[in-house]
Amino acid sequence: MKKLFSLLLVVAMLATSVSVFVACGEQGTGKICLITDVGTIDDKSFNQGAWEGVKAYAKANKLAESDIKYIKPYAASDADYLDAIDLAVAWGARTIVTPGFLFEVPIFEAQTRYPDVKFILLDGAPHTLDYSTFRTDKNVASVTYAEEEVGYLAGYAAVKDGFTDLGFLGGMSVPAVVAFGYGYLKGADDAAKELNITVDIQHSYLGNFGSEAVKNAAAATTMFQNADVIFACAGGAGMQVMDVAGKLTDKWVIGVDVDQYNTGAGKTCITSATKGLAKSVQDILTSIRDGKFDIYGGKTTVFNAKVDGIGLPIADLNADTAKVGQFKTFTVGDYKAIYAKLVAGTVKDLARTVKSAADLPTAEEIKTGLKLTNVILTVVK
């Protein structure tokens, strides 16, 4: 009789634990863990923006500090990222946030390994190492951002504000960075058409996101010899470009991903091309909490202008005559007018990619692909 009672008790306990697990997995976030990519949690860029979304959600939903954490992988490799995911699950994470395309391959494997864990993959979609198979399971929310749209806003604003010598420094020529750069060129070109002028733009990639500080500083110094504002779409390297600008006179930097004005080098940040990192993380975490993860799970969702998923930092959208960032003439009213065109889809030839036989297109290939008419483009390789 005692054995039967003990057996029934164990069954009851298992049933209870399963029901709690299901509630956590299907209608609640449970413990939330963010795993950083090559950067740090205070990189003033992608990792930090995503982490701020986790913290904001936790605060709004009164989660205990012990219910959220972040892990920095030992190194930037698929194996190390998977090890970090294993650690997060062992800690008890039921929701894992992974910021960056570098997680695409690890998440492809992890989504099968941990079918009861929900993954939020920012800036990518799960695929095999050889790109032969793309698959986003129902426990994965794949998120991308319309970088070409916010790059467009940055280029348009810079030229409208009076800049005619511009630069673009990308970290590496990965899809998101390429899209930022092409949007920037197109926005500058459209503004130049409206003003009936031509603008000079240098376009280059550093080959890293901040790990080669000396090289990055030298590249920025050289570009600033002919450019007055540089769009530094380069993660942590953007801070290095801002440091260089701070040592020069009347040189400016356009930040990326998050509002980089409030950084140590932020005095040279004229504006930032931001993604709604925190917003997208909060939106998806909320969907998990409410048992509505199927809105995002099993598919790729693009956060664009139509859903307020990208933009330049604006303190007050009602202050039409106020200047945007540290621009001298470009106002909130100007910004709202061009943003409305993005929402309406009336901006033409806004492309994420340009066809090219080479790894990095030539200036002529870029100009032809984007139909640039008022940009004098120099590609620095």
Side-chain angles (χ1 to χ4, degrees), residues 193-214:
K193 287 178 187 175
E194 292 178 12
L195 296 171
N196 196 28
I197 61 173
T198 59
V199 295
D200 290 277
I201 304 181
Q202 299 171 76
H203 190 275
S204 185
Y205 294 96
L206 295 166
N208 69 91
F209 287 106
S211 59
E212 301 179 59
V214 175

Side-chain angles (χ1 to χ4, degrees), residues 80-302:
D80 287 296
Y81 290 145
L82 277 168
D83 285 345
I85 291 171
D86 290 340
L87 284 173
V89 174
W91 168 70
R94 309 283 4 121
T95 301
I96 296 177
V97 181
T98 55
F101 73 97
L102 292 175
F103 284 96
E104 291 177 327
V105 174
I107 293 299
F108 184 86
E109 182 171 336
Q111 65 186 351
T112 303
R113 183 183 299 183
Y114 300 112
D116 295 312
V117 174
K118 289 182 170 58
F119 295 93
I120 301 174
L121 173 57
L122 306 178
D123 239 18
H127 60 75
T128 54
L129 182 61
D130 62 0
Y131 288 87
S132 62
T133 303
F134 280 78
R135 191 185 75 246
T136 304
D137 289 352
K138 291 182 178 180
N139 59 325
V140 176
S142 166
V143 177
T144 60
Y145 303 88
E147 292 94 357
E148 69 279 11
E149 291 186 353
V150 70
Y152 180 92
L153 292 172
Y156 183 90
V159 172
K160 276 290 193 175
D161 200 60
F163 290 99
T164 56
D165 295 302
L166 291 74
F168 171 82
L169 269 179
M172 298 174 69
S173 57
V174 297
V177 177
V178 171
F180 270 126
Y182 288 169
Y184 180 66
L185 294 175
K186 190 63 182 177
D189 189 64
D190 280 1
K193 287 178 187 175
E194 292 178 12
L195 296 171
N196 196 28
I197 61 173
T198 59
V199 295
D200 290 277
I201 304 181
Q202 299 171 76
H203 190 275
S204 185
Y205 294 96
L206 295 166
N208 69 91
F209 287 106
S211 59
E212 301 179 59
V214 175
K215 173 187 174 181
N216 297 341
T221 300
T222 299
M223 186 169 282
F224 271 128
Q225 291 177 2
N226 296 299
D228 294 319
V229 60
I230 292 176
F231 183 14
C233 185
M239 301 297 104
Q240 295 158 1
V241 178
M242 289 183 194
D243 285 337
V244 171
K247 298 172 183 176
L248 303 172
T249 303
D250 291 330
K251 300 296 182 181
W252 299 92
V253 179
I254 296 173
V256 74
D257 291 336
V258 298
D259 184 359
Q260 294 184 317
Y261 176 78
N262 295 311
T263 66
K267 65 180 181 180
T268 62
C269 182
I270 199 164
T271 190
S272 294
T274 69
K275 298 178 180 180
L277 292 165
K279 180 182 185 299
S280 57
V281 169
Q282 290 178 77
D283 285 354
I284 298 172
L285 289 174
T286 299
S287 78
I288 297 173
R289 180 200 69 190
D290 296 343
K292 298 178 180 179
F293 186 63
D294 58 343
I295 295 173
Y296 301 103
K299 67 190 76 170
T300 296
T301 302
V302 180

Side-chain angles (χ1 to χ4, degrees), residues 56-67:
Y57 172 83
K59 182 178 180 181
N61 290 273
K62 297 180 172 58
L63 269 64
E65 288 186 14
S66 59
D67 286 333

Side-chain angles (χ1 to χ4, degrees), residues 319-341:
D320 283 2
T321 59
K323 305 301 185 296
V324 173
Q326 298 193 77
F327 286 124
K328 294 179 179 178
T329 62
F330 189 72
T331 67
V332 172
D334 297 328
Y335 172 80
K336 287 164 65 175
I338 193 63
Y339 199 94
K341 291 183 178 180

